[in-house]
Amino acid sequence: MSDKYNEAIAASSVLADDAVVKATVEKILNDHFDECNTTDVHKFLLNTVDLTTLNATDSPSSVAAFVERVNAFDEEHPELPNVAAICTYPNFAQVVRTVLDVSDVDVCCVSGGFPSSQTFIEVKVAETALAVDGGADEIDIVLNLGNFLDGDYQEVCDEIIEQKQACRDARMKVILESGALATAENIKKASVLALYSGADFLKTSTGKGYPGASLEAAFVMCSCIREYFEKTGRMVGFKASGGVRTTDEAVRYYCIVKAVLGEMWLTNEYFRLGASSLANNLLTSILGEDTKCF
């Protein structure tokens, strides 16, 4: 029996053959990595980082100190762009908002039962609303993998839609947990469902418990974003997270975004990298000496 969810997936012509996706990614990198691996690109990538602390040991004082590093960077390196956002658990939104002095750095919170999405929808909605009330500009939620793998696409989409409403004016990133989905076909299906449920960003991974971002997942997700834009005219962002640590790895994701989505997406409004150690590695590449500002 057909339904609107399966119809939307069936209407997508995005490439979802794992072997072909892998070969296509390899060709993009072979053709473009060297031309993209420049200091200017490294500076741009620094400005796409969602600087992240998601530890069981996080506290108001440790998160405040984390934010102060971002404040200090703005004063110590005024010639360089700062990170795009600071990402924490939702109970620290108000701490980040209070301590943060840099106007062009956003407050981002994971929410919705992160990282498993295994809790009541009422709890997910309340957590998101409280994070926004606390000052979050952006909310990162996790697609309900259990329902997705059971084929209950209506429940998957309804949860995303409800959390999107709770975001109000905040932007919502939907984490697909691409390492758990594993195949290009599953990543394509999840991307289509998230896009048509109002996601403002597609994000690869939580970085918790499953393989993190992969270039192949990025290619499929960006292809779905491109197709969705061509059909609807709405631009949706892409965020790679989970294991993106080195400058070379970051440049590879830049190559994929540039090749698939194009120049319009080469702004931190539509391209992000979620990381805890990447910012320092990019700084080291930019400055030419070992640097640990964050």
Side-chain angles (χ1 to χ4, degrees):
M1 179 177 169
S2 183
D3 59 48
K4 63 182 180 179
Y5 309 103
N6 283 301
E7 286 172 5
I9 291 166
S12 173
S13 59
V14 167
L15 184 67
D17 179 282
D18 290 302
V20 178
V21 167
K22 182 176 176 60
T24 305
V25 167
E26 288 176 357
K27 185 176 190 314
I28 290 171
L29 296 178
N30 287 336
D31 290 349
H32 300 293
F33 179 82
D34 288 342
E35 70 190 51
C36 292
N37 191 23
T38 67
T39 300
D40 284 345
V41 169
H42 300 165
K43 290 177 182 177
F44 166 75
L45 290 169
L46 178 62
N47 194 224
T48 70
V49 170
D50 285 357
L51 195 68
T52 303
T53 180
L54 296 171
N55 302 311
T57 54
D58 287 345
S59 68
S61 62
S62 73
V63 170
F66 190 74
V67 177
E68 288 288 14
R69 293 182 229 161
V70 174
N71 291 338
F73 178 80
D74 220 45
E75 297 174 5
E76 293 165 6
H77 294 280
E79 78 284 5
L80 293 177
N82 213 316
V83 296
I86 296 170
C87 184
T88 68
Y89 283 112
N91 47 309
F92 297 116
Q94 192 166 14
V95 174
V96 179
R97 176 57 68 201
T98 300
V99 177
L100 184 63
D101 291 333
V102 187
S103 60
D104 58 353
V105 175
D106 286 340
V107 179
C108 173
C109 290
V110 297
S111 186
F114 179 94
S116 66
S117 193
Q118 296 288 12
T119 189
F120 302 102
I121 183 59
E122 293 87 354
V123 173
K124 296 178 182 182
V125 168
E127 189 174 44
T128 295
L130 287 166
V132 173
D133 285 345
D137 303 298
E138 302 171 3
I139 297 291
D140 291 16
I141 68 164
V142 186
L143 177 140
N144 191 315
L145 288 168
N147 288 337
F148 174 82
L149 294 171
D150 273 357
D152 191 350
Y153 297 157
Q154 179 173 341
E155 188 63 28
V156 170
C157 294
D158 285 350
E159 283 199 7
I160 294 172
I161 290 166
E162 284 194 58
Q163 290 176 86
K164 171 66 174 173
Q165 290 170 344
C167 284
R168 302 195 293 280
D169 293 333
R171 294 198 296 171
M172 183 179 70
K173 307 188 193 88
V174 177
I175 306 167
L176 305 187
E177 200 67 284
S178 56
L181 295 176
T183 67
E185 185 63 37
N186 276 341
I187 293 166
K188 169 184 170 178
K189 289 177 181 177
S191 296
V192 170
L193 295 176
L195 287 166
Y196 283 95
S197 299
D200 297 305
F201 263 78
L202 296 185
K203 177 179 171 182
T204 57
S205 318
T206 62
K208 308 283 187 183
Y210 294 96
S214 74
L215 295 164
E216 291 77 17
F219 176 83
V220 175
M221 293 164 69
C222 287
S223 297
C224 290
I225 291 169
R226 183 79 206 181
E227 181 182 68
Y228 178 77
F229 172 70
E230 290 170 352
K231 289 181 177 180
T232 68
R234 189 168 83 94
M235 287 180 70
V236 171
F238 168 75
K239 178 176 174 179
S241 64
V244 185
R245 297 183 179 91
T246 70
T247 297
D248 280 3
E249 287 168 345
V251 171
R252 290 186 181 101
Y253 285 98
Y254 175 93
C255 290
I256 298 297
V257 170
K258 184 176 181 180
V260 178
L261 291 171
E263 296 285 343
M264 285 198 303
W265 270 262
L266 297 180
T267 160
N268 72 7
E269 285 293 302
Y270 295 104
F271 177 33
R272 294 288 180 85
L273 296 167
S276 54
S277 59
L278 175 61
N280 284 329
N281 290 330
L282 285 167
L283 271 174
T284 296
S285 297
I286 292 164
L287 299 175
E289 59 185 16
D290 190 38
T291 306
K292 288 184 170 56
C293 286
F294 298 108

